[in-house]
Amino acid sequence: MKQNRSGRSDTAARPNVTRWRGALGGVLSALAGLAVGSVAAGILGTPLTPVVAIGSAFIDRVPPWLKDLAISWFGTHDKDALRIGILIVVSALAALGGVLAVRRYWAGALITVVLTVAAVIAAFTRADAGQTGILPSLLAGLTALGILRLFSRRLEPLIDFPDDGTSRRGFLQLGAGVALGSVAAGLLGRVVSGNRAAVADARKTLNLPQPSSLDPPPGVQADGAVPWATPNDDFYRIDTALSVPQIVPADWKLRIHGMVDRELTLTYDDLLKRPVIHKWVTLTCVSNEVGGDLIGNALWSGVLLKDLLEEAGPAKNADAIQSTSKDGFTAGTPLPTLLDDRQAMLAFAMNGQPLPVEHGFPVRIVVPGLYGYVSATKWLVDIEVTRFDQFQAYWTPRGWSALGPIKLSSRIDTPLGKKVEPGPVTVAGVAWDQHVGVSRVEVRVDGGPWQQATLATDPSIDTWRQWHWTWDAPRGQHLLQVRAFDGQGKPQIESSAPPAPDGATGLHTISVKVG
């Protein structure tokens, strides 16, 4: 019996070679199907590619603890991690299907059918599926089944005749052709996604009302201190949209209805004809851990939501609105917070530019003082005036509080993760309690007495407040803590609590090595 260089017989090696080729054929079949699905989605104008359909269904059903875990691990890259995870799982199952299909095509095909049915059901249950939402997943599955059959036929002769050069060459040619075709289809899918290009062009040509100044107030100038204004590209993004909705302003409409005297329907042009306000507002995610970075401060431009609601005439017994995103996400917001003096708005610009698509273009809601999950609906298309006892928004049945007022908190930004030299060291950070304000910030070292920090200019109670303190640092390892006091002099909660169900509490504590 002939042996190869590793000492194994060719007979023993043959099944392994065939299995590896079968697995590769299964993976290539699945990737080809996904590529065709992306092309179909682009042509049909639906965001629901197979990966998006499955991923969106997963996001809709994920328990809060798993959502928090994903954010703590991956931060604002949680959706990229989900996409990669889906591709890994699909590839693994497809590889198994490819191995099975070499001898029994129906066994391998069954795995593809199950994956296809799962994607079709996931797409069908999405609010933004429309009439064509299931077709990309269906076409992807049919494509994968057809190509899997081609691979299984190429590999069948190799079971009994592993040295058949013609069959081996045929498999390699088929594999290369499918791989190149999948890449081409994937690129074509991007090209035919016309809405994405149309939205990008629309953003470039918009001429929006500009604020009198984009200059931030004087802030803390220290190495490592965060800037007063968060650049658009650095602003955190946490939402449930695996595929960002693409809405051309000319196609955008907002319906305000429900418990109102007069139903309103607004176009983008209608919005721009109304009085515009420009306001610095700090937004915070309820998933932000103590000391976390899921917070940002920006200059928002838009139209007062109060004016629109008063024009519609909400019923006296209404106590909430349910706002709906283009992708079906809903948020429940207390009606009084939209009618008081905090200037909640329908925002169309961020830091003097049209909203980035990832942050809600063309229109989103901005409400100072509330966590985003109950207020900051992006890609807004519908507002229903209602009552909390008549609906449940997206996150409420998942265990989160219905109201979501932001909690007073503070953070040390520098010297974070650095070794410093003995002597004067600038300790700096931010504190926030939107629509209440911050009146004092204190720092302590190694559990000693609290020392008062210097606060930067405070142009609004709806923004974070920068602070700094000079520490005469001795050699050694030290623990620094910070706490803030709100506008009424009440200190932040020192006991630790996780983000769920209504925001994290506790003192941000860092370790600093001196010398």
Side-chain angles (χ1 to χ4, degrees):
M1 183 181 294
K2 184 179 179 180
Q3 291 186 333
N4 56 31
R5 292 181 180 179
S6 64
R8 298 178 62 195
S9 67
D10 285 339
T11 302
R14 290 169 189 172
N16 284 337
V17 172
T18 305
R19 279 196 292 268
W20 278 111
R21 289 174 179 170
L24 178 59
V27 172
L28 289 175
S29 300
L31 294 179
L34 294 178
V36 169
S38 70
V39 173
I43 294 174
L44 296 170
T46 175
L48 295 178
T49 65
V51 171
V52 170
I54 294 173
S56 298
F58 178 82
I59 291 173
D60 286 347
R61 291 159 179 80
V62 66
W65 66 265
L66 187 55
K67 167 183 171 288
D68 286 338
L69 183 63
I71 292 175
S72 66
W73 282 0
F74 305 110
T76 56
H77 298 292
D78 56 336
K79 294 174 184 62
D80 293 333
L82 177 57
R83 287 191 185 91
I84 293 171
I86 292 172
L87 290 175
I88 290 174
V89 171
V90 169
S91 297
L93 292 174
L96 175 60
V99 173
L100 296 176
V102 174
R103 292 183 179 274
R104 298 178 182 85
Y105 170 73
W106 64 265
L110 182 60
I111 293 178
T112 302
V113 170
V114 170
L115 288 172
T116 302
V117 170
V120 168
I121 292 175
F124 182 76
T125 58
R126 291 289 299 167
D128 55 344
Q131 297 180 341
T132 60
I134 68 170
L135 292 181
S137 295
L138 186 60
L139 292 173
L142 293 174
T143 301
L145 285 171
I147 295 179
L148 182 64
R149 184 56 179 152
L150 293 177
F151 274 114
S152 67
R153 285 177 174 172
R154 290 286 186 184
L155 289 169
E156 283 171 359
L158 297 179
I159 297 174
D160 298 320
F161 304 101
D163 293 326
D164 185 345
T166 302
S167 296
R168 189 162 53 247
R169 283 193 300 273
F171 170 79
L172 294 175
Q173 290 169 353
L174 176 60
V178 170
L180 292 174
S182 299
V183 172
L187 295 175
L188 179 61
R190 290 183 175 272
V191 173
V192 299
S193 297
N195 251 26
R196 190 177 299 274
V199 169
D201 290 341
R203 288 188 71 251
K204 292 178 182 177
T205 58
L206 279 176
N207 184 20
L208 299 178
Q210 291 294 306
S212 58
S213 174
L214 291 170
D215 295 333
V220 174
Q221 304 299 320
D223 183 30
V226 298
W228 161 262
T230 307
N232 290 357
D233 291 342
D234 296 336
F235 209 95
Y236 78 93
R237 178 198 161 198
I238 299 293
D239 52 57
T240 63
L242 190 59
S243 176
V244 176
Q246 304 289 322
I247 309 172
V248 178
D251 297 335
W252 180 84
K253 286 186 179 180
L254 172 65
R255 181 186 176 211
I256 301 177
H257 62 105
M259 298 173 64
V260 296
D261 297 332
R262 295 167 296 280
E263 183 174 316
L264 300 179
T265 300
L266 299 168
T267 66
Y268 196 76
D269 287 340
D270 292 334
L271 207 62
L272 296 184
K273 292 175 183 177
R274 293 174 173 267
V276 175
I277 66 167
H278 309 281
K279 182 178 176 66
W280 289 100
V281 178
T282 296
L283 299 185
T284 313
C285 181
V286 71
S287 297
N288 199 35
E289 299 279 358
V290 173
D293 60 358
L294 300 181
I295 180 172
N297 188 46
L299 180 60
W300 305 93
S301 303
V303 172
L304 283 177
L305 192 46
K306 177 182 179 180
D307 292 348
L308 296 173
L309 290 172
E310 289 180 343
E311 185 175 327
K316 292 184 179 179
N317 60 334
D319 64 4
I321 69 162
Q322 179 176 229
S323 54
T324 303
S325 168
K326 176 68 174 178
D327 70 338
F329 170 83
T330 58
T333 311
L335 186 58
T337 65
L338 308 177
L339 299 175
D340 62 16
D341 63 350
R342 73 185 66 208
Q343 296 185 307
M345 73 172 81
L346 298 184
F348 49 70
M350 180 179 182
N351 289 327
Q353 301 175 4
L355 283 175
V357 178
E358 293 79 6
H359 289 286
F361 182 81
V363 179
R364 65 172 293 165
I365 295 180
V366 172
V367 184
L370 298 181
Y371 287 119
Y373 80 103
V374 299
S375 65
T377 301
K378 304 172 185 175
W379 314 290
L380 178 70
V381 294
D382 188 271
I383 291 177
E384 180 183 3
V385 179
T386 181
R387 293 184 52 82
F388 276 115
D389 58 11
Q390 295 180 8
F391 78 100
Q392 283 191 317
Y394 184 91
W395 285 114
T396 308
R398 292 165 172 80
W400 295 87
S401 167
L403 301 181
I406 289 174
K407 293 180 177 178
L408 171 65
S409 193
S410 54
R411 187 182 74 191
I412 301 172
D413 293 322
T414 186
L416 190 63
K418 300 178 181 177
K419 180 181 177 181
V420 299
E421 296 300 319
V425 173
T426 298
V427 182
V430 289
W432 60 91
D433 194 8
Q434 292 91 310
H435 207 60
V436 177
V438 173
S439 62
R440 190 163 88 249
V441 171
E442 296 178 341
V443 185
R444 69 177 175 186
V445 181
D446 298 330
W450 289 102
Q451 307 292 327
Q452 187 163 331
T454 301
L455 298 178
T457 303
D458 182 21
S460 169
I461 60 173
D462 293 326
T463 62
W464 60 18
R465 195 158 191 188
Q466 295 174 304
W467 59 267
H468 64 95
W469 174 67
T470 301
W471 172 36
D472 188 10
R475 292 185 182 275
Q477 197 78 27
H478 302 280
L479 291 179
L480 271 62
Q481 288 182 307
V482 62
R483 70 176 179 182
F485 294 75
D486 69 14
Q488 285 76 48
K490 182 179 179 181
Q492 72 179 84
I493 299 172
E494 296 191 13
S495 58
S496 296
D502 57 2
T505 61
L507 300 183
H508 189 209
T509 304
I510 67 169
S511 178
V512 179
K513 185 175 183 179
V514 181

